Amino acid sequence: MAWDAHTVDTAADLRALMGDTHPMMLDKSMDHIDEHIRRFLELTSLAIVASVDADGHMDISPKGDPPGFITVLDEHTLAIPERAGNRRADTFTNVLGNAAVAVLCMVPGMIETMRINGTASITTDPDLLADMDVDGHVPTFALVVHVEEAFIHCGKALRRGRLFDPDAFVDPSAYPSVGEVMFDHGRLERFGYTRESTIDCAEDDYETNLYPPTGSEASSGVR
């Protein structure tokens, strides 16, 4: 393909295009959770977790809850509760084979983000999980992240993307509903679903299933 001739494949070529970074961009990285990182985590309501399996296949997964849902255990460790969802467990399966993770933390209305890199494990510690209760819903397990690097990321990308600008919000009708996409991508007619029933199921799931029962009582739903 034509673009192959323009592929950048060495660090030197990349730096020739991008230029060198200022030392302060490297020095801002922390190897522990200080007061500024802790405060950012207290405000965070959305975390995007990146993981990779033992064969190098990557995955990203959003984790959202009320602000403060990320628990700081000590200056090197934090925990993220897992809520009931589609049971794919991509992140957690990956962690069992490769502990490396990266977490992007976001605060509603703030264009800056917090980037955290490290390793992760899975815990069922009952005392920790009890502290993660939301309206009587206690998670079955949590992701424990051992922080190796953390730093604030400027908000130019989110500003360019106008993520929090109401004037840039897309009319939901511009894209098919999640139920329609699920029906087509999952070829759900094989399981007896219709397009209409899948749309109804997805809409109901948003309304009634944010914190469903876990374990044997949970419904896998169409998520």
Side-chain angles (χ1 to χ4, degrees):
M1 298 178 67
W3 52 263
D4 286 343
H6 301 281
T7 297
V8 176
D9 54 13
T10 70
D13 288 343
L14 175 62
R15 281 299 169 189
L17 291 169
M18 180 176 272
D20 293 328
T21 187
H22 194 284
M24 71 177 182
M25 292 294 103
L26 301 175
D27 293 343
K28 71 177 180 176
S29 295
M30 306 291 291
D31 64 358
H32 64 283
I33 301 170
D34 73 347
E35 60 180 311
H36 297 304
I37 299 170
R38 181 183 292 267
R39 181 54 181 156
F40 199 100
L41 294 177
E42 290 174 349
L43 299 171
T44 293
S45 63
L46 180 67
I48 311 297
V49 181
S51 61
V52 57
D53 69 14
D55 296 321
H57 302 112
M58 298 193 69
D59 178 74
I60 55 173
S61 178
K63 310 294 180 185
D65 247 340
F69 77 102
I70 297 177
T71 300
V72 176
L73 301 177
D74 58 46
E75 66 175 4
H76 294 286
T77 319
L78 57 86
I80 304 172
E82 173 63 4
R83 302 298 177 183
N86 56 23
R87 300 188 188 177
R88 284 179 57 112
D90 296 308
T91 299
F92 304 98
T93 303
N94 288 351
V95 164
L96 293 175
N98 185 336
V101 295
V103 185
L104 182 70
C105 300
M106 303 180 69
V107 175
M110 284 182 57
I111 60 173
E112 292 75 27
T113 57
M114 183 64 63
R115 290 169 58 177
I116 296 174
N117 302 316
T119 59
S121 57
I122 303 169
T123 183
T124 59
D125 180 278
D127 294 331
L128 172 61
L129 299 178
D131 288 339
M132 295 175 163
D133 172 278
V134 174
D135 296 331
H137 299 277
V138 178
T140 305
F141 55 91
L143 188 74
V144 176
V145 178
H146 311 280
V147 177
E148 297 175 356
E149 180 183 39
F151 57 93
I152 195 162
H153 193 114
C154 78
K156 290 195 289 290
L158 270 67
R159 176 166 288 183
R160 286 191 291 260
R162 301 174 70 189
L163 187 64
F164 296 122
D165 181 355
D167 291 336
F169 287 179
V170 173
D171 186 330
S173 65
Y175 188 78
S177 70
V178 64
E180 292 178 87
V181 177
M182 284 288 296
F183 182 80
D184 290 336
H185 284 186
R187 303 180 304 283
L188 297 187
E189 67 276 4
R190 298 175 299 157
F191 305 106
Y193 287 94
T194 65
R195 183 175 299 275
E196 291 71 23
S197 67
T198 306
I199 293 171
D200 290 343
C201 183
E203 291 177 351
D204 180 70
D205 196 48
Y206 278 149
E207 294 295 325
T208 64
N209 220 20
L210 286 182
Y211 295 96
T214 57
S216 61
E217 298 178 359
S219 168
S220 59
V222 182
R223 295 189 292 277

mmCIF file of all heavy atoms in Angstrom, residues 107-130:
data_model
loop_
_atom_site.group_PDB
_atom_site.id
_atom_site.type_symbol
_atom_site.label_atom_id
_atom_site.label_comp_id
_atom_site.label_asym_id
_atom_site.label_seq_id
_atom_site.Cartn_x
_atom_site.Cartn_y
_atom_site.Cartn_z
ATOM 1 N N VAL A 107 -12.262 13.386 35.184
ATOM 2 C CA VAL A 107 -13.159 14.083 36.092
ATOM 3 C C VAL A 107 -14.168 14.875 35.265
ATOM 4 O O VAL A 107 -13.764 15.602 34.345
ATOM 5 C CB VAL A 107 -12.369 15.044 37.009
ATOM 6 C CG1 VAL A 107 -13.310 15.867 37.879
ATOM 7 C CG2 VAL A 107 -11.387 14.257 37.877
ATOM 8 N N PRO A 108 -15.467 14.751 35.527
ATOM 9 C CA PRO A 108 -16.455 15.501 34.758
ATOM 10 C C PRO A 108 -16.174 17.006 34.788
ATOM 11 O O PRO A 108 -15.967 17.586 35.857
ATOM 12 C CB PRO A 108 -17.775 15.177 35.467
ATOM 13 C CG PRO A 108 -17.536 13.872 36.138
ATOM 14 C CD PRO A 108 -16.093 13.895 36.560
ATOM 15 N N GLY A 109 -16.128 17.612 33.609
ATOM 16 C CA GLY A 109 -15.926 19.049 33.532
ATOM 17 C C GLY A 109 -14.478 19.491 33.512
ATOM 18 O O GLY A 109 -14.194 20.665 33.264
ATOM 19 N N MET A 110 -13.533 18.582 33.779
ATOM 20 C CA MET A 110 -12.107 18.917 33.735
ATOM 21 C C MET A 110 -11.493 18.322 32.479
ATOM 22 O O MET A 110 -11.707 17.153 32.181
ATOM 23 C CB MET A 110 -11.380 18.370 34.974
ATOM 24 C CG MET A 110 -11.614 19.166 36.230
ATOM 25 S SD MET A 110 -10.683 18.490 37.660
ATOM 26 C CE MET A 110 -8.997 18.549 37.033
ATOM 27 N N ILE A 111 -10.731 19.115 31.750
ATOM 28 C CA ILE A 111 -10.121 18.617 30.530
ATOM 29 C C ILE A 111 -8.787 17.915 30.800
ATOM 30 O O ILE A 111 -8.292 17.177 29.949
ATOM 31 C CB ILE A 111 -9.924 19.730 29.485
ATOM 32 C CG1 ILE A 111 -9.026 20.848 30.027
ATOM 33 C CG2 ILE A 111 -11.271 20.268 29.041
ATOM 34 C CD1 ILE A 111 -8.669 21.899 28.973
ATOM 35 N N GLU A 112 -8.196 18.128 31.987
ATOM 36 C CA GLU A 112 -6.977 17.419 32.324
ATOM 37 C C GLU A 112 -7.304 15.987 32.749
ATOM 38 O O GLU A 112 -8.381 15.720 33.279
ATOM 39 C CB GLU A 112 -6.210 18.122 33.442
ATOM 40 C CG GLU A 112 -5.606 19.462 33.065
ATOM 41 C CD GLU A 112 -6.638 20.574 32.982
ATOM 42 O OE1 GLU A 112 -7.674 20.465 33.671
ATOM 43 O OE2 GLU A 112 -6.415 21.534 32.234
ATOM 44 N N THR A 113 -6.379 15.075 32.507
ATOM 45 C CA THR A 113 -6.543 13.687 32.910
ATOM 46 C C THR A 113 -5.341 13.266 33.746
ATOM 47 O O THR A 113 -4.306 13.934 33.758
ATOM 48 C CB THR A 113 -6.669 12.754 31.690
ATOM 49 O OG1 THR A 113 -5.518 12.911 30.846
ATOM 50 C CG2 THR A 113 -7.925 13.070 30.895
ATOM 51 N N MET A 114 -5.486 12.139 34.449
ATOM 52 C CA MET A 114 -4.388 11.580 35.228
ATOM 53 C C MET A 114 -4.035 10.227 34.636
ATOM 54 O O MET A 114 -4.915 9.363 34.488
ATOM 55 C CB MET A 114 -4.790 11.420 36.695
ATOM 56 C CG MET A 114 -3.685 10.911 37.603
ATOM 57 S SD MET A 114 -2.275 12.045 37.756
ATOM 58 C CE MET A 114 -3.078 13.470 38.536
ATOM 59 N N ARG A 115 -2.771 10.047 34.284
ATOM 60 C CA ARG A 115 -2.309 8.784 33.714
ATOM 61 C C ARG A 115 -1.539 8.001 34.771
ATOM 62 O O ARG A 115 -0.653 8.545 35.443
ATOM 63 C CB ARG A 115 -1.427 9.048 32.492
ATOM 64 C CG ARG A 115 -2.223 9.592 31.316
ATOM 65 C CD ARG A 115 -1.335 10.103 30.205
ATOM 66 N NE ARG A 115 -0.428 9.089 29.679
ATOM 67 C CZ ARG A 115 0.409 9.315 28.656
ATOM 68 N NH1 ARG A 115 0.432 10.499 28.070
ATOM 69 N NH2 ARG A 115 1.212 8.363 28.234
ATOM 70 N N ILE A 116 -1.888 6.742 34.918
ATOM 71 C CA ILE A 116 -1.256 5.879 35.908
ATOM 72 C C ILE A 116 -0.833 4.575 35.235
ATOM 73 O O ILE A 116 -1.644 3.934 34.557
ATOM 74 C CB ILE A 116 -2.220 5.589 37.074
ATOM 75 C CG1 ILE A 116 -2.552 6.894 37.815
ATOM 76 C CG2 ILE A 116 -1.618 4.566 38.044
ATOM 77 C CD1 ILE A 116 -3.605 6.736 38.898
ATOM 78 N N ASN A 117 0.409 4.207 35.414
ATOM 79 C CA ASN A 117 0.944 2.969 34.859
ATOM 80 C C ASN A 117 1.474 2.091 35.992
ATOM 81 O O ASN A 117 1.997 2.597 36.986
ATOM 82 C CB ASN A 117 2.079 3.260 33.870
ATOM 83 C CG ASN A 117 1.647 4.147 32.719
ATOM 84 O OD1 ASN A 117 0.580 3.942 32.145
ATOM 85 N ND2 ASN A 117 2.461 5.135 32.391
ATOM 86 N N GLY A 118 1.331 0.788 35.835
ATOM 87 C CA GLY A 118 1.839 -0.112 36.856
ATOM 88 C C GLY A 118 1.435 -1.541 36.582
ATOM 89 O O GLY A 118 1.288 -1.955 35.431
ATOM 90 N N THR A 119 1.267 -2.280 37.644
ATOM 91 C CA THR A 119 0.836 -3.675 37.545
ATOM 92 C C THR A 119 -0.415 -3.861 38.393
ATOM 93 O O THR A 119 -0.703 -3.049 39.282
ATOM 94 C CB THR A 119 1.938 -4.639 38.021
ATOM 95 O OG1 THR A 119 2.269 -4.344 39.396
ATOM 96 C CG2 THR A 119 3.178 -4.514 37.156
ATOM 97 N N ALA A 120 -1.139 -4.933 38.132
ATOM 98 C CA ALA A 120 -2.415 -5.116 38.819
ATOM 99 C C ALA A 120 -2.611 -6.550 39.262
ATOM 100 O O ALA A 120 -2.025 -7.492 38.714
ATOM 101 C CB ALA A 120 -3.572 -4.689 37.916
ATOM 102 N N SER A 121 -3.471 -6.705 40.241
ATOM 103 C CA SER A 121 -3.905 -8.011 40.727
ATOM 104 C C SER A 121 -5.382 -7.913 41.073
ATOM 105 O O SER A 121 -5.966 -6.821 41.066
ATOM 106 C CB SER A 121 -3.079 -8.452 41.943
ATOM 107 O OG SER A 121 -3.162 -7.488 42.984
ATOM 108 N N ILE A 122 -5.997 -9.029 41.369
ATOM 109 C CA ILE A 122 -7.423 -9.081 41.680
ATOM 110 C C ILE A 122 -7.589 -9.468 43.148
ATOM 111 O O ILE A 122 -6.916 -10.383 43.631
ATOM 112 C CB ILE A 122 -8.138 -10.106 40.786
ATOM 113 C CG1 ILE A 122 -7.917 -9.757 39.310
ATOM 114 C CG2 ILE A 122 -9.635 -10.158 41.094
ATOM 115 C CD1 ILE A 122 -8.351 -10.856 38.356
ATOM 116 N N THR A 123 -8.483 -8.770 43.857
ATOM 117 C CA THR A 123 -8.700 -9.079 45.263
ATOM 118 C C THR A 123 -10.176 -9.289 45.575
ATOM 119 O O THR A 123 -11.044 -8.681 44.933
ATOM 120 C CB THR A 123 -8.162 -7.963 46.181
ATOM 121 O OG1 THR A 123 -8.329 -8.345 47.562
ATOM 122 C CG2 THR A 123 -8.910 -6.654 45.953
ATOM 123 N N THR A 124 -10.437 -10.139 46.559
ATOM 124 C CA THR A 124 -11.795 -10.333 47.086
ATOM 125 C C THR A 124 -11.828 -9.965 48.560
ATOM 126 O O THR A 124 -12.697 -10.425 49.295
ATOM 127 C CB THR A 124 -12.243 -11.799 46.906
ATOM 128 O OG1 THR A 124 -11.319 -12.670 47.596
ATOM 129 C CG2 THR A 124 -12.307 -12.186 45.438
ATOM 130 N N ASP A 125 -10.896 -9.112 48.992
ATOM 131 C CA ASP A 125 -10.816 -8.728 50.395
ATOM 132 C C ASP A 125 -12.155 -8.149 50.861
ATOM 133 O O ASP A 125 -12.606 -7.121 50.340
ATOM 134 C CB ASP A 125 -9.714 -7.685 50.585
ATOM 135 C CG ASP A 125 -9.581 -7.247 52.030
ATOM 136 O OD1 ASP A 125 -10.366 -6.383 52.459
ATOM 137 O OD2 ASP A 125 -8.708 -7.791 52.735
ATOM 138 N N PRO A 126 -12.834 -8.783 51.831
ATOM 139 C CA PRO A 126 -14.184 -8.358 52.200
ATOM 140 C C PRO A 126 -14.248 -6.966 52.814
ATOM 141 O O PRO A 126 -15.221 -6.236 52.604
ATOM 142 C CB PRO A 126 -14.635 -9.432 53.200
ATOM 143 C CG PRO A 126 -13.368 -10.028 53.719
ATOM 144 C CD PRO A 126 -12.392 -9.960 52.593
ATOM 145 N N ASP A 127 -13.226 -6.581 53.567
ATOM 146 C CA ASP A 127 -13.236 -5.253 54.187
ATOM 147 C C ASP A 127 -13.099 -4.161 53.132
ATOM 148 O O ASP A 127 -13.804 -3.142 53.188
ATOM 149 C CB ASP A 127 -12.101 -5.146 55.207
ATOM 150 C CG ASP A 127 -12.295 -6.069 56.400
ATOM 151 O OD1 ASP A 127 -13.465 -6.354 56.738
ATOM 152 O OD2 ASP A 127 -11.291 -6.494 56.989
ATOM 153 N N LEU A 128 -12.209 -4.374 52.168
ATOM 154 C CA LEU A 128 -12.043 -3.403 51.095
ATOM 155 C C LEU A 128 -13.317 -3.301 50.270
ATOM 156 O O LEU A 128 -13.797 -2.199 49.970
ATOM 157 C CB LEU A 128 -10.874 -3.803 50.195
ATOM 158 C CG LEU A 128 -10.688 -2.979 48.914
ATOM 159 C CD1 LEU A 128 -10.424 -1.526 49.246
ATOM 160 C CD2 LEU A 128 -9.544 -3.556 48.067
ATOM 161 N N LEU A 129 -13.897 -4.436 49.901
ATOM 162 C CA LEU A 129 -15.105 -4.430 49.074
ATOM 163 C C LEU A 129 -16.270 -3.771 49.798
ATOM 164 O O LEU A 129 -17.076 -3.070 49.178
ATOM 165 C CB LEU A 129 -15.460 -5.859 48.673
ATOM 166 C CG LEU A 129 -14.401 -6.599 47.840
ATOM 167 C CD1 LEU A 129 -14.854 -8.019 47.559
ATOM 168 C CD2 LEU A 129 -14.122 -5.859 46.535
ATOM 169 N N ALA A 130 -16.365 -3.975 51.113
ATOM 170 C CA ALA A 130 -17.448 -3.359 51.888
ATOM 171 C C ALA A 130 -17.350 -1.834 51.838
ATOM 172 O O ALA A 130 -18.374 -1.136 51.809
ATOM 173 C CB ALA A 130 -17.406 -3.851 53.323
#
